[in-house]
Structure formats: C-alpha cells, structure tokens
Amino acid sequence: MNLPSLIQKFILRFFVLNIPNQDIVTKSFSFIFCLFFWMITVPFSFPSTVFAETTIIENEEDEKRVLENHAFEKLRFGLANHIHYYKVKKTKNTVVEQRSGRKRLYDHNLILRSIFRNRILHHEYGSIGRLLDGASFIDFGSAILYEEGAVTVRDLYEDQFLSRYIKKIVATDINDPEYDHTRYIEIHFTEREPFPFAFNEIPYRLDDPSYIRNLTKLYTPNEFSPVIFRSTNSGPDLFYTVEEMREHFRSVLEANPHRTILYFFNRYIFFRTPCESKFQLLGTIDEKVGVNHSFSAWRYVDWNKREFAEAIEPNFRYIRIAEERTESKADRLDAMFSGYGCQIRAKLLYYRHKFMKTMTK
C-alpha cells in the first residue's frame, strides 16, 4: 500500500473512532481537518484515466491469457459462418444465436450468492459483496427470443436470495435488420409477452463510452451505484475481434469511473473499484458448463447439489475464499476502511471535478 493510501486510512480511522467523543466545535474542526488532508492526498492516489496505461487488465499475465483465449474463441465459434449457422438453425420455432438455455449460466447465481454471503474476500477491500450491495445487473445479449425469452436473465430475476442485493436486472439484445427473422426487438414487441424485468435495445458494437454511460445511468440510482455487467456467449465475448473487445473494455471503464464494477465476461470474472483504472481478474468460471459450445452440459447438472467451489477457480492474487466470521476484527476493519475510503475518494473527485467545471464556465 502506498503512502497516500496509508495517510487516508489513518485519517478515516481517526475521524470514525474519535468523532463520537468530541464536542460540536471539536467535531467541526476535526471534520474540516480530515477533509482537507484527504483532498490533498486524493490526486496522488486516485488513478487518472488520462495517464493510465492502455491495458485493460491490471496484471500483464492475466491480460495475455484473456486476450489469447478471446482470439481462440473468436476463431472457433465467432466467425461469420458460425453466426450465419445459428441465425438459420431453428429450434422450437425460434432462432438460436446465443445458444442459450435455462440454468446455462447458473454458476453466476452460485458465485453471486457467495459474494453476497461474504465468502469472496478481496485482499485489500474485504467483502466484495459489501461493495456491490444494491447493484444493477445489465446483461449484454440476452437471447430474448429463445424459449420464454432471456432465460438466463430470468434465472437471476427469479433468484429470491439475489433479489435482496441486486436492485435492478436488465436484459438487452440487438435488432438486426438484415433478415426478417433476426429483427429481435420487433419480434419481441409484436409477438411476445413483456418481460418482468427491464429491457433495452443495444447496438452490435458496444465501444462508445457515452452510450454505455447513458445506459448505465438509466438503470442506476446515482453516479456511484455499483453495477454488474455480463457478456457470456454473446457479442462482446464471442463475436468481437480482439481489438474490438479491448475497445469495449476501455469504454466500460471510461464510462463508469466512479462505480464499483463486476463483469462476467465469457469464462472470466473481472472486478474494479473506483480506485483502480483497470480490471482485476478475480477468477475463472468452470468452462465445461456455461461456455461449453459443443455440448449442453448445463442440462445434466444437478443444480441442487452443485457447490460454489465447483463453479469457480479463484485467482488468489486478489481474493481468498472464506467465511466472513473467520476474519479477525482488525483485518475486517482495515478492509472496511479501504472499501469505504475508496468510495469517499471517488465522490470527492467527482464533486471536485464538477465544482472546477462550474468555476471555469
């Protein structure tokens, strides 16, 4: 941890632990003192997108592995002939392009439940669930015409445990005007029942930060609300070229500088708080089930018996798997200060930017 971060953690501890025992004058002075020194250290500890490296993933080895896998997936399953095949192949009088199915991505449910049960602990921020509480979930490419429509999104929507923590669930899809049978949005609105969750049309290329920013703002209560994205067996994670995928990641990061983000992308789980400029790879999802393109393995899984440990291979560089109660109080307090401190710094930077922008008009 660098010196500014240590200073900020000390200031936050000083403020939280000492303020209840002070009179009103001393409280005011302490608050101004802490705020002043906090803002001094913010510019030196908060990553700048202007000077950030062009990589999208924090660790070089992780990024290399992800990019190589993306190129391999694109070559095997995301070329034009693959896309055409799944556009013309009919199943149950509908079009199967994303090759979806009930419970196909149910490992995501298992992982999210463990996150919100405080089993996935970040080495610096502690419980990731604490930072994602109240998040909006936006699914890119939801196979809205398959079976009852957006079936993997319905799996999330119907999960009563997750509904306590995920406040908004959004399905999306494209409207391809090239063929009559791929006008997904038009077919949905004219021939299908409305979804019980939110729904939005998206473009094929999700590489415009302003569009992603507006889409996210539409379904989140404020600029700082956490968001969970997913692109699995859809456009960005399967049909984009490597460079298009990189541009998509850059756009997602640039569009949400003040939010905590969790991103299920293909077989990977990415995470970023407002205090980082790039994604951290938290782990890899079991590739034999959800992203298996040659066999409908998910249909033969006993989901009542499947354990969380079967769903994920953790990246211990960033996280550990444990029950929250096994943490010492000191470690839990440090992690809480780091998490809340990061959120406070994001808000200070945001409002300082707005103030400076107003002053220069």
Side-chain angles (χ1 to χ4, degrees):
M1 185 177 293
N2 56 34
L3 181 59
S5 296
L6 289 172
I7 294 173
Q8 291 166 12
K9 183 175 288 190
F10 170 78
I11 292 171
L12 185 60
R13 278 191 173 186
F14 171 82
F15 183 71
V16 172
L17 297 177
N18 291 287
I19 205 73
N21 303 319
Q22 298 171 351
D23 57 42
I24 188 65
V25 176
T26 312
K27 282 181 181 179
S28 301
F29 175 78
S30 297
F31 177 77
I32 295 171
F33 172 82
C34 292
L35 185 61
F36 173 74
F37 277 94
W38 196 290
M39 293 186 72
I40 287 176
T41 58
V42 164
F44 299 101
S45 62
F46 198 93
S48 168
T49 55
V50 176
F51 298 103
E53 297 176 19
T54 56
T55 54
I56 54 176
I57 301 170
E58 185 175 272
N59 181 269
E60 185 177 350
E61 292 180 5
D62 290 339
E63 177 164 283
K64 181 180 178 182
R65 180 157 60 99
V66 170
L67 295 181
E68 287 178 350
N69 177 75
H70 185 81
F72 183 70
E73 290 275 284
K74 168 72 176 175
L75 186 63
R76 289 188 66 197
F77 306 109
L79 298 177
N81 60 312
H82 302 126
I83 299 172
H84 177 72
Y85 171 76
Y86 283 101
K87 279 182 176 176
V88 299
K89 181 182 178 183
K90 300 292 185 68
T91 300
K92 294 184 179 180
N93 297 318
T94 187
V95 180
V96 184
E97 181 172 337
Q98 281 94 347
R99 294 150 286 186
S100 192
R102 276 287 194 168
K103 299 291 181 75
R104 175 166 192 173
L105 302 180
Y106 209 72
D107 277 344
H108 295 169
N109 290 55
L110 301 182
I111 292 167
L112 286 170
R113 288 177 195 171
S114 293
I115 284 176
F116 290 117
R117 285 176 176 141
N118 301 318
R119 287 200 62 198
I120 301 183
L121 306 178
H122 194 278
H123 290 325
E124 182 173 357
Y125 301 112
S127 169
I128 293 176
R130 187 167 54 234
L131 299 178
L132 292 173
D133 192 5
S136 299
F137 190 104
I138 301 177
D139 186 71
F140 293 137
S142 307
I144 64 171
L145 298 183
Y146 184 76
E147 293 182 345
E148 67 264 57
V151 287
T152 57
V153 179
R154 290 180 189 271
D155 287 335
L156 283 167
Y157 178 77
E158 295 170 2
D159 193 316
Q160 295 183 358
F161 177 83
L162 294 181
S163 66
R164 308 176 207 170
Y165 303 96
I166 299 176
K167 301 306 179 185
K168 196 77 174 180
I169 294 179
V170 187
T172 69
D173 219 326
I174 61 173
N175 200 54
D176 185 355
E178 188 176 355
Y179 305 99
D180 289 339
H181 62 268
T182 57
R183 297 176 183 269
Y184 305 132
I185 309 301
E186 295 176 25
I187 295 173
H188 168 72
F189 281 127
T190 57
E191 301 180 12
R192 296 297 189 97
E193 293 294 322
F195 291 125
F197 37 79
F199 169 66
N200 209 307
E201 179 181 351
I202 57 172
Y204 172 75
R205 288 285 298 277
L206 286 164
D207 57 359
D208 182 357
S210 61
Y211 176 84
I212 296 175
R213 183 180 301 113
N214 291 334
L215 179 68
T216 309
K217 287 178 66 175
L218 184 62
Y219 297 109
T220 52
N222 57 61
E223 290 281 347
F224 312 104
S225 301
V227 63
I228 303 171
F229 293 112
R230 178 168 70 185
S231 174
T232 304
N233 308 322
S234 62
D237 78 297
L238 203 58
F239 301 138
Y240 286 11
T241 65
V242 170
E243 190 51 43
E244 287 172 345
M245 183 269 275
R246 290 169 66 98
E247 286 301 316
H248 168 68
F249 267 66
R250 291 190 190 103
S251 298
V252 169
L253 291 168
E254 184 180 336
N256 300 281
H258 310 296
R259 303 182 192 277
T260 295
I261 304 172
L262 188 76
Y263 196 166
F264 291 103
F265 188 88
N266 199 267
R267 68 190 63 177
Y268 302 109
I269 309 168
F270 296 107
F271 177 72
R272 194 220 65 186
T273 72
C275 291
E276 284 82 36
S277 61
K278 292 167 284 189
F279 280 114
Q280 297 173 347
L281 176 60
L282 297 190
T284 306
I285 298 171
D286 181 9
E287 62 188 75
K288 298 188 296 293
V289 180
V291 292
N292 189 333
H293 301 300
S294 57
F295 177 63
S296 301
W298 67 92
R299 301 187 189 278
Y300 304 96
V301 173
D302 187 344
W303 291 104
N304 293 318
K305 295 182 179 179
R306 188 166 171 85
E307 297 289 335
F308 156 71
E310 299 176 76
I312 183 175
E313 181 182 338
N315 184 353
F316 293 112
R317 181 183 293 112
Y318 296 110
I319 63 172
R320 64 187 181 89
I321 309 300
E323 294 292 343
E324 181 75 1
R325 62 177 177 268
T326 63
E327 280 191 299
S328 70
K329 290 184 178 180
D331 288 343
R332 195 180 308 175
L333 190 63
D334 278 346
M336 184 183 71
F337 284 137
S338 293
Y340 289 146
C342 179
Q343 293 173 324
I344 292 172
R345 295 201 300 274
K347 292 180 180 180
L348 285 173
L349 190 66
Y350 172 76
Y351 287 118
R352 186 178 65 180
H353 176 72
K354 288 195 70 173
F355 176 74
M356 296 301 295
K357 193 173 180 180
T358 303
M359 294 293 292
T360 54
K361 283 186 178 178

